[in-house]
Amino acid sequence: MGLVGLGLTARAVAPVLPGALRAPAYFTEPWVAAGVLVFLFLIVMYLVKLLRFPQAVKAEFTNPVTLGFCGTLPVAMSLVAGGIAPYLPAIGSVLWWASFVLLLAMQLWALARWLSGGIELAQVNAGWLIVMVGGIVLPGPGIALGHVEAARFIFGVSAAAAPLLMALLFVRAVTAPPLPEGLRPTWFILLVPPSLVYANGVALYEGALFLENLYFFGLALAAALLIYSRNLGRWPFGAPWWAFTFPLDALAYAAARYAQDHPSPLWRGLAATTLAVATLFVAAALWRTLRSAASRPA
């Protein structure tokens, strides 16, 4: 999600920047290509896990701590669809519809699981936003592929769930014990709802300018999260570090959308700045992942 998301965001930011600052294809497309390759690799590895450890996979879909993160599969699939859409639109369309069906099925399952009760406040985490609010990601690729009505449907389901989950997560942050340091990057997932409800909402509903307030909130939240993570150098590195990446991509995408509608130097500069921050975090997460993998004994 972080890799493909950065490429798609750079594509969106390019038109609003002066020529000298525009991200060229040799910057945007390698990120998309890397994300597609990683997606294919992870799909194969997860199928192997499903065959070898089916009980572990089942537990991931029933445990409230991990259930939300299962939504990364259809959300990532939709981003891959958007990434390959200019080159292979038919395959991109098939992937997008697969992501739509899979995400909707997961949302229904998550709702049923949560309504069954027995979930403690300390188990609430930002990963829940991925499965229940992940549909706000799908309109970007969906509109490009011509699936506007379906994109509006899945966006509507997820946008309606967003304020409920955001409120619950802020209650958890205030009242429950702090997250372990290794999981603290996952709070950055909170950036996705305000960023993409705004950016994709105005694309789906002409004249919905009141959604611009969400972008302003996203900027304030991003500043607070960066202050919160000022000691991230002491946080242990692990998979949760990738939670920095796509949310910052989403904020940069929202910044590009706002600069498109408000083409002043200030907002264009902010679009360039948020893209630079997203690139920095994606590159850092990728570098640390590769270094960690290389340092493991064979």
Side-chain angles (χ1 to χ4, degrees):
M1 289 170 61
L3 294 169
V4 179
L6 180 60
L8 295 177
T9 297
R11 287 179 186 174
V13 171
V16 305
L17 299 182
L21 295 177
R22 290 182 181 178
Y26 61 77
F27 175 84
T28 63
E29 302 314 285
W31 289 115
V32 172
V36 171
L37 292 174
V38 170
F39 176 77
L40 294 174
F41 173 76
L42 291 176
I43 285 290
V44 172
M45 291 296 99
Y46 203 74
L47 288 174
V48 171
K49 179 178 179 178
L50 177 61
L51 293 173
R52 295 186 62 189
F53 309 105
Q55 293 304 314
V57 172
K58 180 180 178 181
E60 290 173 350
F61 282 85
T62 55
N63 186 335
V65 176
T66 57
L67 174 58
F69 294 98
C70 296
T72 54
L73 172 58
V75 173
M77 191 182 299
S78 74
L79 293 170
V80 169
I84 67 174
Y87 310 102
L88 301 166
I91 296 176
S93 189
V94 170
L95 276 178
W96 190 88
W97 277 111
S99 71
F100 175 93
V101 172
L102 186 57
L103 180 62
L104 184 59
M106 286 186 176
Q107 289 178 330
L108 296 177
W109 167 249
L111 283 171
R113 172 65 184 87
W114 294 333
L115 289 171
S116 65
I119 298 174
E120 299 177 1
L121 184 60
Q123 294 176 307
V124 176
N125 61 76
W128 288 15
L129 290 172
I130 302 174
V131 67
M132 282 308 304
V133 187
I136 63 174
V137 178
L138 272 63
I143 294 171
L145 289 163
H147 309 310
V148 178
E149 288 305 313
R152 187 177 288 118
F153 175 86
I154 198 71
F155 176 88
V157 172
S158 298
L164 303 176
L165 278 175
M166 290 285 284
L168 183 59
L169 287 166
F170 275 109
V171 170
R172 187 256 181 262
V174 171
T175 62
L179 287 176
E181 287 188 343
L183 292 177
R184 290 181 184 178
T186 60
W187 280 128
F188 273 71
I189 299 173
L190 292 171
L191 285 175
V192 177
S195 298
L196 295 188
V197 170
Y198 156 65
N200 287 331
V202 295
L204 287 169
Y205 304 99
E206 185 177 354
L209 299 181
F210 65 92
L211 293 176
E212 291 179 347
N213 296 316
L214 294 175
Y215 171 55
F216 303 148
F217 174 72
L219 290 174
L221 180 59
L225 285 166
L226 290 172
I227 294 171
Y228 168 76
S229 59
R230 62 189 178 278
N231 296 320
L232 65 88
R234 296 203 295 265
W235 296 352
F237 178 75
W241 272 60
W242 282 95
F244 286 125
T245 62
F246 181 71
L248 289 169
D249 295 344
L251 181 67
Y253 184 77
R257 177 69 200 199
Y258 192 82
Q260 179 181 337
D261 294 336
H262 304 271
S264 71
L266 171 64
W267 299 116
R268 287 181 173 183
L270 196 54
T273 300
T274 52
L275 178 62
V277 172
T279 303
L280 174 64
F281 274 86
V282 172
L286 180 60
W287 167 249
R288 294 202 65 174
T289 298
L290 294 174
R291 189 177 67 175
S292 177
S295 65
R296 292 180 181 176

